[in-house]
Amino acid sequence: MGTRGREIVGIDVEKVIEMLNAAYASEWLAYYQYWLGAKLIKGPMKDAVAAELNLHATEELNHAVLVANRIIQLGGTPLLDPHEWFDKSPCAYDAPKDPYVSVLLDENIAGEQCAIDTYKKLMDVTKDKDMVTYNLALTILEQEVEHEEDLQSLKEDFDLLFSRGNK
Ligand code: FE
Ligand code: FE
Ligand code: MG
């Protein structure tokens, strides 16, 4: 932990660490949901969608790295036990029980929308108080917004396949 770096945080550092740990839990669950979904996926456009799911998996894992580093920098400890991921994550883990393309897309779109809310809230709390965490949350938020749009545009293509392709 950097002592001066911690002192300049103008809000309760423990609260920031708690919010970061909640986001950290969600990132691991998102990583696994994408990673496994990419392996199990079935149906039309599955190769294109699997490629995007795999890319997002690596990006979620990178978010976990960024968040863990900030937790440690603030003197906190990233959640030590994966059992805690379910308790602490604000976002649900959707087990890919039905691996059909459009079902996985809907589940992952919901996950991205929750991630967007999570980082927006972190930005609201840290604005003008903890600039380093604010900036980190913005960097991740930009990528979550991109993820949502990627998935919604794949879903749109998938839907068009049926509304216009099979006359
Ligand atoms: Fe993420
Ligand atoms: Fe994401
Ligand atoms: Mg993408």
Side-chain angles (χ1 to χ4, degrees):
M1 152 177 73
T3 50
R4 189 70 188 137
R6 196 179 201 266
E7 275 165 22
I8 61 164
V9 175
I11 36 168
D12 183 2
V13 176
E14 293 308 318
K15 177 170 165 62
V16 177
I17 291 170
E18 198 183 304
M19 290 182 77
L20 286 167
N21 253 324
Y24 179 71
S26 295
E27 293 295 356
W28 274 108
L29 295 175
Y31 166 74
Y32 191 66
Q33 190 175 310
Y34 273 124
W35 182 87
L36 191 56
K39 297 206 180 304
L40 299 175
I41 192 163
K42 295 236 186 313
M45 293 172 46
K46 75 174 161 50
D47 293 333
V49 176
E52 197 67 48
L53 300 185
N54 269 321
L55 179 61
H56 287 195
T58 65
E59 289 168 344
E60 304 305 358
L61 191 56
N62 184 54
H63 298 165
V65 172
L66 294 172
V67 173
N69 288 345
R70 182 60 182 151
I71 291 169
I72 292 165
Q73 202 172 53
L74 285 169
T77 307
L79 298 176
L80 294 173
D81 187 338
H83 282 114
E84 294 179 273
W85 294 347
F86 285 92
D87 296 340
K88 302 284 163 70
S89 171
C91 305
Y93 173 75
D94 266 322
K97 283 176 225 130
D98 179 353
Y100 190 59
V101 173
S102 59
V103 175
L104 293 187
L105 283 172
D106 284 340
E107 289 170 350
N108 286 307
I109 288 166
E112 292 302 338
Q113 291 175 341
C114 182
I116 288 168
D117 292 344
T118 300
Y119 289 104
K120 163 71 166 68
K121 207 176 292 169
L122 195 55
M123 288 182 72
D124 289 342
V125 169
T126 55
K127 187 172 167 54
D128 300 325
K129 301 276 179 4
D130 175 356
M131 289 70 88
V132 178
T133 299
Y134 179 88
N135 192 53
L136 173 80
L138 176 58
T139 300
I140 298 176
L141 178 66
E142 284 171 351
Q143 202 155 49
E144 308 299 12
V145 166
E146 185 188 305
H147 286 173
E148 183 202 32
E149 204 272 332
D150 289 342
L151 298 180
Q152 284 181 334
S153 112
L154 283 166
K155 182 75 192 315
E156 192 183 301
D157 288 352
F158 180 90
D159 291 341
L160 285 168
L161 203 59
F162 295 100
S163 63
R164 307 187 71 171
N166 299 350
K167 289 200 183 117

